[in-house]
Structures are given as C-alpha cells and as structure tokens.
Amino acid sequence: MTAVVTEELAEPYLLGVLATAGLDVEYVRGEGDTLYYRRGDEEVPVLDFVGGYGSTMLGHSNPEIIGYARELLAGATPIHAQFSRHPYANEVAARLNRIIKRETGSDESYFAIFANSGAEAIEAAMKHAEFERFVRIAGLRAEIDAHIEAVRAAVADGTVAAPEANALIADVTAHNEALAGRTPLFLAPVGSFHGKLAGSTQLTYNPIYRAVFSALAAQARFVPVDEPGAVDAVVEAERGWLHDLVIEGGRVTVVQRPFPVFCAVVLEPIQGEGGIHEIPEAFVRDVQRVAAELEIPVVVDEIQSGMGRTGSFLASTRLGLRGDYYALAKSLGGGVAKAAVMLVRASRYLRDFEMMHSSTFAKDSFSCLIAARVLDLMEAGDGEVYRTAESRGTELSNVLQDLMKEFPEVVKDVRGRGLMIGLEFHEQGEAGFAILRELHGSGFFGYYMSGFLLREHGIRTFPTSSAVYTLRFEPSVNIGSADIAKLAGALRDLCEQIRDTDGQRLAPVA
Ligand code: F0G
C-alpha cells in the first residue's frame, strides 16, 4: 500500500502511547504464532503470545482456512444476500449445538443469532434478555389488570365498597406504572469485560471504560466473586414489588408480587481482560441458584475462553457453569473472518426477536462458512485440538510456575487454564529505583514490559488492560516447546532487569 498522507489521523493519541513503550510497530505478515514487521528491507519475526486477544487459536493465516477462504472468494460466494436462506449459518448453529450438547449433557437445542464482533453478540444477548423481562412484566401486568377489572366489577355490583376500592386501584396503577418504567439491571462479577459498545461497556467493570457512558444504557451490579452471600445481598438490595389486588371476604387488599428487576447474569468463566481469573465454583453455584430463583437467564461469555482454548470447547463446562445463552466470537472466525454468535436455549427463545434485531454484515456466507470450517478443524481427530491446547497450556504454565519459583520477589502469581494463562508481577510502586516507580506511576507497567520483550527478544505479549501488572499468554494450539523455551528465556531476562538492575533497559523509548 502506498502511503498518501504523513499526518496521523487514525487514533494518533493511542499510537503515541504505544510509541513510548516501543510497541508502535507495523506488522506486515502473520503465520502460525509469528508476526513479521519490516525494518528496512528485512522482515523481523516476532513470536506472538497475544494471539489477537484470543482470536488465533488455530494460528495466524492458518493454511487450511486461508485456502478455503480463497476458494470461497474465487467461487464468488454471495456475501451480501440478506433476507434469503442461510444454510451456512444453520451449519454453524448445528455444529455448535452438537458440541454444547456433548459437553453439557443437555438435550435442549440453542437458537443462534449472528453478529460481527464480541460486543455485538453480547448486546444481542442483553436485548434478548430484556425482551424476556419485558414479556414477563407484560404478563404480570395483564394478570394484575384482570384483577383490577374484577375489583371494578365487584364495585359495580356492590360486593365491595366503592371509595376504598377506587383509591386502591389508583394507588396500585400508579405504583406499577412507576415500577415498570424502572431501568433494568444486570448482574456481573467484579472484574468482568464484555465489550465497549454502549450496552456492553456497562457490563464491563473497569470504570475508565464504563463511567462516562453510564447514562446511555442499563447498568450492572458488580458482585465480588469471593464473598459468600454477595450475590444474594445485591439481589436483596434491589428487590422491587408490583402491587396486585385481591378480594377477600368482601374487602379489597393489596398484595405484593416480585417485579423482575434483573435482566440476566452475565459472566466469563475465566475473566480475560480483567486479569485471567477463573470464576470460583462456589460463585458459579450461587449465580446458578439465584438466576433460577429470579427466573433470569445466565449468559456465559465464552468469547475469549471458548473455542477449545482451555482444553474443552467451552471453559464453562468444567466449572459446572451452564448457560441459557452463550456468546462466541474471536477464534470462531479462524483469525480471518469477523464472526460472532449468540445462542439462546430453545425454551427461553423468543422468535419475535428475529423481527427486531439484525445487522447488515452478520450471518453472511463467508464468515459462516469459515466458522463452520473452523469448528470442523476443532472437532477433528476426536477433539485433538482440545487435548493439545490442554497439554501445551500445561507446558507453558509449568515454565511460568518455575519462573515464579526462581523470581518470587518479581512474579506474584501464575494462573489460568490451557492456553489462557496470566503471569502477574508484584507492584513496583515502592521499588528501590526511580524508573520502576515511574513505570508504576504511568499506569502502563505491563505495556512497558511488553515493549521490552518485543524490542529485546522479539516476543509479543500484552497485559490484560484492566490489570496492567498481569501479562497474558494466549498463543495458538500449535505453539511449540522451542517457542515456550524462548518465552521463558525472555521472561527470565525481564525478571532479572526488575530484580537486579535500575530498570534502564525497561525505560520508555525516547
Ligand atoms: N467478551 C469478552 C470475554 C472479551 O474478552 C471481549 C474482548 C469481548 C467480549 C468484546 O469483544 O472486542 O470483539 O467486541 N476482549 C479483548 C480483550 C478486547 O482485551 O480481552 P469485541
């Protein structure tokens, strides 16, 4: 591509921030777990542990997927054919159903709504959940209206006293009207990340992404995952009651009926952007119980943790977490297509949703056919990809654990599952050397560590952006032992820099 402007116009401020950490390289090619940037006439290889934040489970430019994409484009697959039959979308849905049924033991089907990005799939889930709530409220109010009519009839035939009954009808109607207008709430764990669109950013815990936009959409109540009883306490604090009327012994009385305040519980089985934290099983049990009590859906966001990364197709399966909705994106597109999907359990599915929700680019042949091929590759060899992800992940994790033992004063924790691993450093706010304290103060500590690893070792990592002391490792399933050893060597150098030096080599790029 020939550059036509010299002025930076596409998010120049972000580019400036990347530049200070030495991360403003331009990658020109990607293959497997290697990205290449150009330096003069040569291509410099970089070993990529970011993996598109979890989008390249099968590697960059996977030859089978690229070959198939070429075939599809050469065959002029109709990408824009909205409002027609989409058998390819059905193929993706059918494959996902087969996998989910196998993993969860459920025999219930899930209907699929397609999208282009993770946040869009989450927003489709939010909308469907709100539609469910709307229908429930409408049903409750219709019942209450019928009871009000019964009271009116009783007033008309003189069975109950008119002034008192009419006053109660007015009170109940006004109370219910006000309550029905209340904005719904979502329940989500502290540390969640579900996207940055207007709705999904409200389910994202980090206030930097969320607070400015809170007037735009329904809010979440964030619950700590390690405090027993916290889910119940939040629900209790937000309870609302509709008023209903009953006639008993010639008198009209007001009774309370629970109002559906909450739309859904939304959670990642393993939090990604929030710092690679697996949700504790006790919290899973609480969420599952409370959702059942409130009759609200559990939305499982497998956008980052799913697609086989943790050793099973869904990370939630092993936690005993069962979704009424599932969201998938990232690796679903095989590192090539922008494919996302939201699945809804058949018994909760509202078919009118299809008349209310659409997206120009979603459900197209190209991304669906690629997604179907990705799922075939995942499922090939009786789940070989899943087994490999687990064993590669164990190897990677063991190497990082060894590093933690070697540098206990530098590495605070290593956690995660399969190919979704986080390594957390101890904070450096009190470090002996000024450079480390400055890097701490910048709020971008992990980005400077990433810059060092890139510059000095040709390794690409990134911190989880809401927990910048944690580097995350999400390579493809093809990551080799030599690659893992190379990472270990680079991290050892990094740990030595933090522990033994004044931090000069880690400093911002001039
Ligand atoms: N849900 C999860 C669990 C995610 O990790 C992400 C994105 C999204 C939703 C939103 O997807 O970007 O396609 O709209 N996570 C990246 C991260 C950005 O840093 O972990 P999107």
Side-chain angles (χ1 to χ4, degrees):
M1 189 178 64
T2 319
V4 292
V5 285
T6 49
E7 196 182 355
E8 281 297 342
L9 298 169
E11 303 192 36
Y13 171 70
L14 177 63
L15 191 66
V17 173
L18 291 176
T20 64
L23 293 166
D24 59 332
V25 291
E26 178 194 349
Y27 293 104
V28 292
R29 203 157 64 83
E31 266 177 12
D33 286 291
T34 308
L35 283 169
Y36 298 84
Y37 69 88
R38 203 170 283 127
R39 190 166 50 202
D41 287 340
E42 56 162 355
E43 276 188 353
V44 182
V46 170
L47 185 55
D48 181 22
F49 281 91
V50 177
Y53 294 128
S55 304
T56 57
M57 201 24 212
L58 300 176
H60 291 280
S61 312
N62 178 291
E64 277 209 61
I65 298 168
I66 295 289
Y68 187 48
R70 279 214 180 90
E71 227 176 85
L72 292 173
L73 295 175
T77 192
I79 291 170
H80 294 292
Q82 299 89 348
F83 263 50
S84 59
R85 267 190 170 279
H86 288 80
Y88 25 82
N90 212 43
E91 282 299 318
V92 177
R95 280 167 172 73
L96 288 170
N97 265 278
R98 238 184 343 259
I99 296 170
I100 291 173
K101 284 176 185 173
R102 183 187 69 223
E103 282 205 356
T104 64
S106 155
D107 55 9
E108 194 176 348
S109 292
Y110 286 77
F111 290 106
I113 301 288
F114 285 82
N116 305 283
S117 69
E120 195 188 326
I122 291 294
E123 301 227 352
M126 293 174 80
K127 283 178 65 183
H128 193 282
E130 172 60 355
F131 189 18
E132 279 197 46
R133 196 185 75 101
F134 179 91
V135 169
R136 275 177 70 196
I137 293 171
L140 283 165
R141 293 193 73 189
E143 281 175 30
I144 293 171
D145 284 347
H147 298 160
I148 289 173
E149 281 318 304
V151 172
R152 287 212 172 95
V155 168
D157 67 21
T159 335
V160 298
E164 185 193 326
N166 287 339
L168 286 177
I169 288 172
D171 283 354
V172 162
T173 307
H175 171 87
N176 290 350
E177 198 61 43
L179 196 59
R182 180 174 161 185
T183 331
L185 292 171
F186 288 85
L187 268 172
V190 166
S192 294
F193 186 92
H194 297 291
K196 289 182 180 165
L197 295 181
S200 47
T201 206
Q202 292 310 316
L203 307 185
T204 287
Y205 181 67
N206 188 338
I208 294 172
Y209 306 143
R210 172 170 50 85
V212 168
F213 308 104
S214 62
L216 282 180
Q219 311 288 292
R221 289 289 175 263
F222 293 102
V223 189
V225 296
D226 48 4
E227 278 177 28
V231 184
D232 296 270
V234 167
V235 167
E236 203 46 53
E238 299 292 347
R239 271 195 204 288
W241 302 95
L242 284 165
H243 289 177
D244 197 357
L245 292 177
V246 291
I247 306 170
E248 270 170 359
R251 295 215 52 171
V252 181
T253 45
V254 177
V255 291
Q256 289 191 326
R257 303 185 61 180
F259 175 71
V261 171
F262 287 94
C263 261
V265 187
V266 187
L267 75 169
E268 303 151 85
I270 302 177
Q271 294 182 335
E273 194 270 354
I276 315 292
H277 294 285
E278 188 164 278
I279 298 291
E281 285 183 24
F283 186 82
V284 168
R285 282 194 298 276
D286 278 359
V287 155
Q288 225 69 82
R289 173 181 52 76
V290 167
E293 280 164 20
L294 297 178
E295 296 175 52
I296 58 174
V298 174
V299 181
V300 177
D301 181 344
E302 292 269 10
I303 287 167
Q304 190 162 165
S305 57
M307 301 297 299
R309 178 163 296 285
T310 65
S312 44
F313 184 81
L314 301 167
S316 50
T317 314
R318 295 190 181 188
L319 294 176
L321 176 60
R322 296 289 179 265
D324 298 303
Y325 302 8
Y326 288 99
L328 290 161
K330 293 193 190 264
S331 285
L332 180 63
V336 171
K338 292 173 180 172
V341 68
M342 188 275 283
L343 299 158
V344 180
R345 194 188 279 290
S347 54
R348 306 196 81 108
Y349 188 63
L350 299 169
R351 62 186 188 180
D352 285 349
F353 189 72
E354 296 168 23
M355 301 295 140
M356 299 167 163
H357 183 84
S358 68
S359 171
T360 300
F361 291 118
K363 208 170 65 174
D364 66 290
S365 65
F366 182 76
S367 56
C368 287
L369 287 165
I370 294 284
R373 179 61 63 93
V374 166
L375 294 171
D376 288 346
L377 292 174
M378 293 263 157
E379 290 279 289
D382 198 22
E384 197 185 330
V385 166
Y386 313 137
R387 288 193 299 278
T388 310
E390 184 157 29
S391 64
R392 302 277 76 197
T394 304
E395 188 177 327
L396 175 56
S397 173
N398 287 344
V399 162
L400 300 180
Q401 297 279 357
D402 287 347
L403 201 76
M404 180 166 73
K405 285 189 201 116
E406 202 179 328
F407 295 93
E409 57 285 88
V410 179
V411 180
K412 183 177 173 190
D413 194 19
V414 171
R415 53 183 180 262
R417 199 181 269 268
L419 292 170
M420 189 169 178
I421 310 272
L423 177 144
E424 185 180 354
F425 295 104
H426 285 290
E427 292 210 0
Q428 297 296 328
E430 308 289 318
F433 289 103
I435 292 175
L436 288 174
R437 290 198 302 274
E438 273 165 35
L439 295 180
H440 169 83
S442 74
F444 292 108
F445 185 86
Y447 288 96
Y448 287 103
M449 302 308 106
S450 302
F452 170 81
L453 292 170
L454 177 63
R455 266 194 321 274
E456 308 255 341
H457 293 278
I459 284 187
R460 182 170 145 90
T461 59
F462 270 133
T464 50
S465 31
S466 288
V468 290
Y469 268 93
T470 299
L471 291 183
R472 69 175 131 176
F473 304 94
E474 299 185 353
S476 89
V477 70
N478 300 318
I479 194 76
S481 298
D483 302 327
I484 294 174
K486 184 173 163 149
L487 173 71
L491 287 171
R492 187 164 295 113
D493 184 19
L494 173 57
C495 289
E496 280 167 5
Q497 294 306 310
I498 296 175
R499 187 188 62 186
D500 304 334
T501 75
D502 63 0
Q504 243 344 303
R505 281 171 71 206
L506 307 171
V509 178

